[in-house]
Amino acid sequence: MSVVESRWLRRFASAEGSKLQLICFPHAGGAASAYLGLTRALAPDIDVVAVQYPGRQERRLEPALTSLTHLARAVAEELARAPQRPYAFFGHSMGAVVAYETARVLAEFDLVTPRRLILSGRGAPSTEPRASDRLAGDAALIAEIRRLGGTGSRVLDDPELLEMVLPTLRADYAALSRYRWLPGPPLDIPLTVMVGTADPVVPVDDARGWLAHSTRPGDLLTFDGGHFYLDTRLPSVAEAVRTLLGQPTRV
């Protein structure tokens, strides 16, 4: 699968000659640009393409989707139109669920699936929403974003920026609160789970639960840091991704 840029997909660095693509799924409230740092860290060996959900950045005038399964199906349809080439998925937080559900859709319709799923900062799916996903009102939503930290939480101190991002956050958390995992066959794809050791909403054991959703052997990698350990441990994360995808590490 050789993904080209579209309204759904963004590329931030040239990786001409790369034989492998990494398709990245952002967190709640996040946009494709959340993967700018990882893109630069992996280029030019791995071609990183980030998914751009509706309702943010250049798609800000489009209504955000409030169903993660509908979002996954839309992404799967976009990817199904691309020519075949080896690729993998990386999803962080809400993006881990979207990446997983997208892989399920591709497998359901016997389409080319990713060679690996890297699922970060999210506990294994369940038939009921997590308490951290059920937030009543903007005050609770803002408090949760502050608790999670990360560079994105800085916009909460700017009233104008906050007004811009709140609709997207509301829609994404509505989608999370409505998401219900539906039982089905496990994926025939290796899973790697990543989590910060001090994540306030994802205990390591909850993250480990993802491994039961594949028939293949998987692994769990922990990093020092909280929910957005990706920001503070980027070099370590990039090296881990290189190793997982069979690319040489950088000296």
Side-chain angles (χ1 to χ4, degrees):
M1 181 174 293
S2 182
V3 171
V4 294
E5 289 185 85
S6 69
R7 67 193 181 103
W8 280 96
L9 305 164
R10 290 289 176 268
R11 180 182 281 107
F12 298 107
S14 175
E16 293 182 12
S18 171
K19 297 180 180 179
L20 178 68
Q21 286 186 319
L22 181 66
I23 301 171
C24 297
F25 296 74
H27 57 277
S33 58
Y35 287 104
L36 181 58
L38 187 62
T39 296
R40 291 171 173 169
L42 296 176
D45 307 302
I46 298 173
D47 181 21
V48 178
V49 178
V51 178
Q52 187 74 295
Y53 307 142
R56 55 215 82 199
Q57 293 184 335
E58 75 281 355
R59 300 190 70 183
R60 63 187 178 278
L61 298 182
E62 300 178 46
L65 297 181
T66 55
S67 166
L68 297 188
T69 52
H70 290 170
L71 182 56
R73 287 189 175 274
V75 176
E77 289 174 4
E78 185 72 19
L79 297 180
R81 287 191 281 268
Q84 294 184 10
R85 178 183 177 190
Y87 73 105
F89 281 174
F90 185 108
H92 180 68
S93 197
M94 183 186 85
V97 179
V98 183
Y100 164 73
E101 289 292 348
T102 301
R104 293 181 90 186
V105 174
L106 293 169
E108 177 186 356
F109 290 97
D110 201 25
L111 299 170
V112 178
T113 55
R115 61 167 50 182
R116 179 174 293 272
L117 262 64
I118 304 174
L119 305 173
S120 164
R122 181 76 186 180
S126 65
T127 55
E128 294 296 328
R130 298 175 179 276
S132 57
D133 295 335
R134 299 193 304 267
L135 303 176
D138 288 348
L141 182 57
I142 292 169
E144 180 69 2
I145 301 303
R146 289 192 187 281
R147 183 164 76 110
L148 295 178
T151 55
S153 64
R154 298 171 189 167
V155 304
L156 303 180
D157 299 321
D158 186 315
E160 292 185 3
L161 290 177
L162 178 60
E163 190 64 26
M164 290 175 61
V165 302
L166 265 178
T168 300
L169 284 168
R170 292 181 191 122
D172 287 352
Y173 271 88
L176 284 166
S177 68
R178 294 168 182 163
Y179 173 70
R180 303 290 190 277
W181 177 75
L182 297 177
L187 293 169
D188 188 30
I189 303 170
L191 304 186
T192 294
V193 183
M194 296 183 174
V195 65
T197 55
D199 192 316
V201 294
V202 187
V204 172
D205 283 344
D206 282 2
R208 185 180 287 110
W210 277 110
L211 300 179
H213 291 270
S214 172
T215 60
R216 303 284 193 92
D219 47 7
L220 172 73
L221 303 179
T222 59
F223 297 85
D224 293 338
H227 190 68
F228 285 100
Y229 70 90
L230 293 175
D231 294 338
T232 57
R233 304 291 294 173
L234 180 59
S236 298
V237 172
E239 290 306 305
V241 171
R242 286 180 181 279
T243 299
L244 289 166
L245 300 184
Q247 299 298 307
T249 58
R250 295 281 177 169
V251 178

